[in-house]
Amino acid sequence: MYDAIVVGARCAGAPTALLLARAGYRVLLLDKAAYGSDTLSTHLVHQPGVAALARWGLLERVRASGCPPIERAVYEVADIHIEGCARGVEGQRAGFAPRRHVLDALLVDAATSAGAEYRDHCRVTGLLRDDGGRVVGVEGSHGGRAFTERAHLVIGADGMRSTVARLAAAPYTARDPRLTCAYYTYWQDVPADLELYERPGGWVATVPTNDAATLVLAYFPQARFAEVRTDAHRAYMEQIRATAPALHDRLAGAKPTERLHGCGDQENFFRQPTGPGWVLVGDAAHHKDSITARGISDAFQQVEALVEAVTGTLGGDPALLDAALARFAEDARARLVPGYEATLGAARLDPHEQRLSLLRAVQSDPELTAIYLDMVAGIASASALYTPRLLALL
Ligand SMILES: Cc1cc2nc3c(=O)[nH]c(=O)nc-3n(C[C@H](O)[C@H](O)[C@H](O)COP(=O)(O)OP(=O)(O)OC[C@H]3O[C@@H](n4cnc5c(N)ncnc54)[C@H](O)[C@@H]3O)c2cc1C
């Protein structure tokens, strides 16, 4: 009997197992994927996520992987050029973009070092329930052999297409249409800051990562997905040329180090994240377009809140556990809604004049620029920008 079984061992599941194991709980961490495998995701971790890694004692391991700190950001849209550094949070002014096969493996290593039991190639296919319908464990296959395991709590950290959510019949509590599709690859010998370029119908970004490589991403409206995918490489290069012409010139003569990765299925939703004996974290609970690069940092914050909520209740009165989970769910939603709305706004790829006039004022002022870059990182809300300084400039 485990205190918790965590299904999914990436940026939501592995730190959940880590923090529960550090709290003294007996934890089983399962993933159908192989240890150290990559996944379809770019991987900018904004400063709130970096601060979580630092709190967990893992930031030095990210640095030691050769992943560079990203201290400067550039944002261009229309005639606007914003450049500077965020103010940051908990002393973390830099973002980092560790490759997912680096970050996810590092998180699993930390979880196992803390005492969590980990099985890869282990697919969960069913939930065990007691006579009252309470979830009390999982079943599935591990290396081709069927298994069952029991726990006080089953945690679905198994991504946007969560099996745990489907098996628990977790309903959507909000759902919006898909807005973009994204293509990305890695380039050698193209030094870059975090650079964001926007125009109507286009969004391009550069992100420095491991192995001295630069990730270059291009976003398109979802309505163009069928057309873009027929010749994705051409569409990717054309989107860079149209949205970030100077970057396009910098790429001339450089080579992508990998094939082009693409994703047209980025859903926007909240699910009801908990019920008797089960809870969802990370993308399983809430998914949004990746354009604002918030998924990893949001997962880290949810994980910490979940572990704090259940600590002291696991293995005790199930009613107390369920009440703690319900409080966690309510708080998590309240915390995530503003970032969700900001993400939907960005993912419409339609910069409107009101925002542009605001940004024209911001670009002329270093302090407002720092606040704006805090907003991009998910540290400050839009209201933080409305200082007397901004109002004087508008
Ligand atoms: C194109 C793209 C770009 C992105 N860019 C960024 C970015 O720059 N920054 C950022 O913060 N976020 C980004 N995101 C979002 C980010 O990838 C996710 O928010 C993050 O991966 C969520 O982590 P997770 O652990 O919840 O889920 P996942 O990373 O999806 O992990 C779920 C795990 O569960 C396992 N699993 C699933 N089903 C089962 C099962 N039945 N049994 C056992 N295991 C199972 C899977 O194998 C997987 O390893 C991007 C996403 C996409 C698609």
Side-chain angles (χ1 to χ4, degrees), residues 6-15 30-34 37 39-46 97 100 104 122-125 156-164 166-167 182-184 207 215 217 219 261-263 265-266 281-299:
V6 185
V7 184
R10 293 195 184 271
C11 37
L30 308 175
D31 203 301
K32 65 183 183 184
S37 56
T39 187
L40 187 73
S41 162
T42 64
H43 32 78
L44 173 61
V45 182
H46 287 297
R100 289 296 298 269
D104 297 347
C122 185
R123 180 185 294 270
V124 169
T125 55
D158 51 346
M160 184 179 83
R161 298 178 191 84
S162 170
T163 303
V164 174
R166 178 175 51 78
L167 294 168
Y183 282 85
Y184 66 92
V207 189
L215 165 65
L217 309 91
Y219 283 84
H261 305 275
C263 178
D265 185 20
Q266 297 193 69
V281 277
D283 281 4
H286 159 63
H287 192 273
K288 56 189 168 294
D289 197 284
S290 61
I291 197 159
T292 47
R294 299 269 181 96
I296 298 170
S297 304
D298 284 351

Side-chain angles (χ1 to χ4, degrees), residues 255-280:
K255 286 225 165 357
T257 57
E258 289 183 16
R259 70 176 178 81
L260 197 59
H261 305 275
C263 178
D265 185 20
Q266 297 193 69
E267 292 190 41
N268 297 298
F269 66 74
F270 283 85
R271 286 188 175 115
Q272 180 188 311
T274 184
W278 62 271
V279 66
L280 307 173

Side-chain angles (χ1 to χ4, degrees), residues 193-325:
D193 291 312
L194 171 62
E195 298 170 24
L196 310 171
Y197 303 94
E198 187 180 6
R199 71 176 176 100
W203 179 284
V204 166
T206 62
V207 189
T209 183
N210 294 89
D211 307 316
T214 296
L215 165 65
V216 182
L217 309 91
Y219 283 84
F220 306 81
Q222 169 71 204
R224 288 192 57 199
F225 182 45
E227 164 232 324
V228 165
R229 70 193 304 192
T230 58
D231 189 351
H233 183 74
R234 192 201 56 74
Y236 169 78
M237 292 307 299
E238 176 52 26
Q239 185 66 297
I240 297 169
R241 194 198 59 72
T243 311
L247 171 64
H248 189 266
D249 292 347
R250 267 152 70 199
L251 294 178
K255 286 225 165 357
T257 57
E258 289 183 16
R259 70 176 178 81
L260 197 59
H261 305 275
C263 178
D265 185 20
Q266 297 193 69
E267 292 190 41
N268 297 298
F269 66 74
F270 283 85
R271 286 188 175 115
Q272 180 188 311
T274 184
W278 62 271
V279 66
L280 307 173
V281 277
D283 281 4
H286 159 63
H287 192 273
K288 56 189 168 294
D289 197 284
S290 61
I291 197 159
T292 47
R294 299 269 181 96
I296 298 170
S297 304
D298 284 351
F300 287 175
Q301 287 176 319
Q302 283 175 66
V303 161
E304 276 188 328
L306 172 64
V307 173
E308 194 184 319
V310 302
T311 298
T313 65
L314 279 179
D317 179 353
L320 291 181
L321 171 61
D322 292 349
L325 291 173

Side-chain angles (χ1 to χ4, degrees), residues 51-368:
L53 288 166
R55 286 194 295 278
W56 303 339
L58 301 179
L59 183 55
E60 283 317 307
R61 294 191 212 175
V62 172
R63 284 182 187 274
S65 75
C67 182
I70 304 172
E71 272 143 8
R72 289 191 72 70
V74 176
Y75 172 47
E76 288 187 359
V77 57
D79 56 330
I80 294 154
H81 177 97
I82 289 178
E83 185 167 353
C85 306
R87 294 178 304 180
V89 61
E90 295 176 26
Q92 304 299 336
R93 296 195 70 183
F96 284 81
R99 289 293 300 256
R100 289 296 298 269
H101 57 83
V102 171
L103 177 67
D104 297 347
L106 185 154
L107 292 168
V108 168
D109 291 345
T112 54
S113 300
E117 195 181 317
Y118 166 63
R119 298 179 198 158
D120 65 352
H121 300 292
C122 185
R123 180 185 294 270
V124 169
T125 55
L127 296 176
L128 307 180
R129 292 177 186 272
D130 67 12
D131 293 344
R134 183 178 188 81
V135 171
V136 291
V138 300
E139 62 187 5
S141 65
H142 184 208
R145 300 171 85 145
F147 76 92
T148 59
E149 294 289 0
R150 294 182 164 263
H152 299 300
L153 179 64
V154 172
I155 300 170
D158 51 346
M160 184 179 83
R161 298 178 191 84
S162 170
T163 303
V164 174
R166 178 175 51 78
L167 294 168
Y172 291 103
T173 54
R175 210 169 181 191
D176 288 283
R178 292 177 188 80
L179 291 169
T180 71
C181 58
Y183 282 85
Y184 66 92
T185 187
Y186 299 86
W187 295 75
Q188 214 67 55
D189 304 320
V190 183
D193 291 312
L194 171 62
E195 298 170 24
L196 310 171
Y197 303 94
E198 187 180 6
R199 71 176 176 100
W203 179 284
V204 166
T206 62
V207 189
T209 183
N210 294 89
D211 307 316
T214 296
L215 165 65
V216 182
L217 309 91
Y219 283 84
F220 306 81
Q222 169 71 204
R224 288 192 57 199
F225 182 45
E227 164 232 324
V228 165
R229 70 193 304 192
T230 58
D231 189 351
H233 183 74
R234 192 201 56 74
Y236 169 78
M237 292 307 299
E238 176 52 26
Q239 185 66 297
I240 297 169
R241 194 198 59 72
T243 311
L247 171 64
H248 189 266
D249 292 347
R250 267 152 70 199
L251 294 178
K255 286 225 165 357
T257 57
E258 289 183 16
R259 70 176 178 81
L260 197 59
H261 305 275
C263 178
D265 185 20
Q266 297 193 69
E267 292 190 41
N268 297 298
F269 66 74
F270 283 85
R271 286 188 175 115
Q272 180 188 311
T274 184
W278 62 271
V279 66
L280 307 173
V281 277
D283 281 4
H286 159 63
H287 192 273
K288 56 189 168 294
D289 197 284
S290 61
I291 197 159
T292 47
R294 299 269 181 96
I296 298 170
S297 304
D298 284 351
F300 287 175
Q301 287 176 319
Q302 283 175 66
V303 161
E304 276 188 328
L306 172 64
V307 173
E308 194 184 319
V310 302
T311 298
T313 65
L314 279 179
D317 179 353
L320 291 181
L321 171 61
D322 292 349
L325 291 173
R327 280 195 301 278
F328 154 75
E330 203 173 310
D331 292 352
R333 183 169 175 127
R335 214 183 290 185
L336 289 166
V337 163
Y340 182 68
E341 285 168 358
T343 298
L344 295 186
R348 288 190 186 98
L349 300 178
D350 182 22
H352 50 82
E353 192 44 48
Q354 201 187 352
R355 196 167 121 248
L356 296 181
S357 44
L358 185 84
L359 294 175
R360 279 188 195 101
V362 167
Q363 70 176 344
S364 62
D365 185 291
E367 193 176 317
L368 293 172

